[in-house]
């Protein structure tokens, strides 16, 4: 399930390739204005008489030899879709193969059928040419986040990347996630994310409420509800340049997925962390590297659930953290509260 862009031989992943994605257009035909109306192939019997919706109008005889065809009317034959028979063709794939010590991009020619996704092609490649190819996947429905990879240098879910977005002549490069260490082939070690998840303080319920007694208005829940759609595919973590290009930042930076989690808890209408001495805004800034984010929105662009991570989570969190530290009224209120 994880895959990355491709350099050639190290765990950081192979070089990022470029790929064009321009599906071909089908040729159409202008119908002949003199084509005989009123007769369809389904409505004819073997002797040429009309059935179904009624007989042919008086004086109109069906054309000899059956209904009109493109050949009889002199029109061109329909142009085939990508592939010899319109439903399949051979695609050129470059897949990164290797381990933490060394690796390289290997070329394969794989058959593609109509309606398939990249994960289907990887499975066919396993079945026909590379049985030892390692790839992580689970649901094949875009809900488990397991098959994360980089396709032509862009972080994607393999099961949600349709082959129809590529031209039949395109070379499609599949590589492991570049921000995480390679285990083997397209599988990466994403344990960094689970370590960061354990560092985030969990929801703190109100002291005067028991489980089952929580009551919230929908409008209060709405702001943070979007963030719960996250499937933890870690594409946002992989594409964030703070850790993608700077391995040394991983200790201090939680990444967009977990800064979004802090923002979700801070917006929760019943979270009472602040009343019990936990300031999530200060924690996000001082302990989880909120200041490293420079809101390029690359995390939002690759999110398969279309969560507005930057606009709805990171920017509001930055604003609240700045207010807490620099707003003079907030500063004065904190002083008065501490004296009490």
């Amino acid at each position: 399930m994880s895959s990355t862009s491709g350099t050639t031989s190290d765990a950081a992943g192979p070089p990022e390739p470029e790929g064009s994605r321009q599906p071909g257009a089908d040729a159409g035909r202008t119908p002949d204005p003199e084509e005989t109306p009123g007769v369809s192939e389904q409505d004819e019997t073997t002797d040429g008489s009309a059935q179904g919706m009624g007989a042919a109008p008086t004086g109109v005889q069906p054309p000899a030899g059956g209904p009109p065809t493109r050949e009889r009317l002199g029109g061109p034959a329909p142009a085939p879709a990508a592939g010899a028979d319109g439903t399949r063709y051979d695609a050129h794939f470059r897949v990164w193969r290797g381990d933490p010590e060394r690796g390289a991009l290997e070329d394969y020619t794989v058959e593609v059928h109509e309606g398939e996704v990249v994960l289907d092609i990887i499975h066919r490649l396993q079945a026909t040419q590379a049985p030892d190819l390692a790839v992580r996947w689970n649901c094949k429905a875009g809900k488990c986040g397991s098959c994360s990879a980089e396709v032509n240098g862009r972080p994607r879910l393999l099961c949600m990347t349709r082959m129809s977005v590529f031209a039949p002549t395109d070379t499609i490069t599949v590589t492991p996630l570049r921000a995480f260490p390679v285990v083997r082939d397209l599988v990466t070690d994403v344990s960094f994310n689970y370590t960061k998840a354990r560092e985030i303080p969990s929801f703190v319920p109100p002291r005067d409420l028991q489980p089952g007694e929580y009551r919230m208005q929908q409008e209060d829940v709405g702001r943070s509800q979007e963030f719960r759609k996250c499937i933890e595919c870690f594409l946002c973590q992989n594409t964030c340049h703070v850790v993608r290009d700077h391995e040394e930042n991983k200790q201090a930076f939680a990444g967009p997925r977990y800064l979004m989690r802090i923002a979700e808890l801070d917006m929760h209408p019943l979270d009472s962390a602040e009343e019990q001495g936990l300031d999530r805004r200060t924690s996000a800034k001082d302990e989880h590297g909120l200041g490293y984010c420079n809101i390029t929105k690359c995390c939002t662009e690759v999110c398969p659930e279309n969560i507005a991570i930057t606009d709805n989570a990171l920017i509001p969190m930055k604003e609240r953290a700045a207010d807490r530290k620099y707003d003079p009224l907030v500063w004065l209120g904190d002083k008065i509260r501490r004296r009490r």
Side-chain angles (χ1 to χ4, degrees), residues 1-2 13 16 28 32 43 50 77-78 84 96 110 139 159 168-169 171 175 210 214 262 276 300 305 319 326 330:
M1 72 166 65
S2 54
E16 299 190 23
D32 192 323
D43 292 338
W96 197 85
V110 195
C139 74
C159 70
T169 55
T171 296
T175 53
Q210 299 299 318
Y214 302 159
I262 297 172
Q276 301 184 31
T300 300
E305 289 293 322
E319 292 172 346
Y326 300 109
V330 174

Side-chain angles (χ1 to χ4, degrees), residues 29 31-32 34-36 68-76:
R29 177 182 72 88
D32 192 323
E34 296 182 0
E35 185 173 321
T36 306
T69 64
R70 292 178 189 269
E71 290 76 10
R72 292 196 187 97
L73 295 173

